[in-house]
Amino acid sequence: MRTPVHHPKFDTLADFVAGRMDEARAVVVAAHAAQCDACSRAICDLEAIGGVMLESVEPVPMADDALEKILARADSAANIVAPAMADRDAWPERRPPLSDYLKDGLEDVKWRAVAPGLAQSVIKAQGYRDGVLRLLKIDPGTKMPRHTHKGEEVTLILRGAYEDETGAFGIGDFADLDADQTHSPMAVGDEPCICLIATSAPLAFKTIAGRIAQPFIGL
Ligand SMILES: [Zn+2]
């Protein structure tokens, strides 16, 4: 398997470990870490540090209604990925693997054309609204309209390759983009580039073509 060159930012990994991340982005981070030694090691180290910090907190007497309060919070946080204890042996099985979301594999994905050379498939799951987690298929030579993001966007390349202003991305690479970064990825090579993308907010297209395509992309 190819060793990834592009990885999540440290803050992204820290949010993942701390459970401060929506499920859609956590799926993409977990899928990258499952094929990246460096990141799975970093996650385990961060979990170990988190465990030590929890253990060093002084115990305090609990209020009578503490349990109800904790349960109420746990309910409202049901879509947040819970931080796990440091256990490298259990990696990555203790996270929902991508195959849970792509039950039929990549071969049987039902693609919907959104623009010439561009198709997508929304991955439905509980815990996030429709369209936040999706697969994008870009035909070789097709360039995505230039866009920024109102929130963060994380991308994992599952097949093929693309290039944009930030570099060349191949299978296993993780693109971790901030709200203020603009990019226009172009698929390269001779097979379509298939990416798994989670966005925390809609894309903001910079070009007229992009703005016209936006309703069709459904973001
Ligand atoms: Zn990595």
Side-chain angles (χ1 to χ4, degrees):
M1 197 186 289
R2 176 181 182 273
T3 303
V5 180
H6 298 279
H7 307 274
K9 293 173 189 149
F10 178 82
D11 285 357
T12 302
L13 289 178
D15 284 350
F16 175 76
V17 169
R20 284 192 302 258
M21 183 174 275
D22 52 89
E23 182 187 330
R25 275 183 299 155
V27 170
V28 185
V29 174
H32 167 79
Q35 51 187 299
C36 178
D37 259 3
C39 288
S40 58
R41 224 177 298 130
I43 288 168
C44 289
D45 289 349
L46 283 167
E47 285 176 342
I49 293 165
V52 170
M53 283 168 71
L54 278 179
E55 280 163 20
S56 64
V57 172
E58 285 281 306
V60 291
M62 289 217 295
D64 287 346
D65 60 348
L67 184 59
E68 279 94 314
K69 278 187 180 155
I70 289 168
L71 288 176
R73 270 176 51 190
D75 255 5
S76 66
N79 58 344
I80 307 290
V81 174
M85 297 306 289
D87 179 3
R88 273 183 79 169
D89 294 339
W91 180 265
E93 289 78 8
R94 61 191 149 80
R95 309 247 182 226
L98 186 56
S99 53
D100 278 11
Y101 297 84
L102 287 179
K103 291 218 162 45
D104 301 323
L106 274 185
E107 300 309 327
D108 291 316
V109 171
K110 291 184 182 50
W111 296 104
R112 191 168 66 89
V114 289
L118 197 63
Q120 78 164 352
S121 176
V122 170
I123 299 175
K124 290 179 185 292
Q126 292 189 329
Y128 53 85
R129 67 186 163 78
D130 253 17
V132 164
L133 183 64
R134 65 219 151 83
L135 292 168
L136 203 63
K137 185 168 76 168
I138 315 167
D139 286 344
T142 300
K143 197 168 189 176
M144 285 271 294
R146 174 181 296 273
H147 59 278
T148 51
H149 310 268
K150 292 196 179 101
E152 282 127 22
E153 179 190 82
V154 294
T155 302
L156 175 68
I157 288 76
L158 301 177
R159 221 174 253 183
Y162 78 66
E163 289 174 9
D164 69 5
E165 295 82 341
T166 64
F169 292 76
I171 293 173
D173 277 336
F174 189 99
D176 196 346
L177 292 175
D178 288 332
D180 56 354
Q181 270 178 295
T182 300
H183 74 152
S184 49
M186 182 172 83
V188 294
D190 37 40
E191 62 170 337
C193 179
I194 298 180
C195 307
L196 176 70
I197 302 176
T199 39
S200 62
L203 302 184
F205 285 105
K206 289 285 189 198
T207 61
I208 290 170
R211 281 201 290 274
I212 292 169
Q214 187 152 19
F216 301 101
I217 300 176
L219 289 167

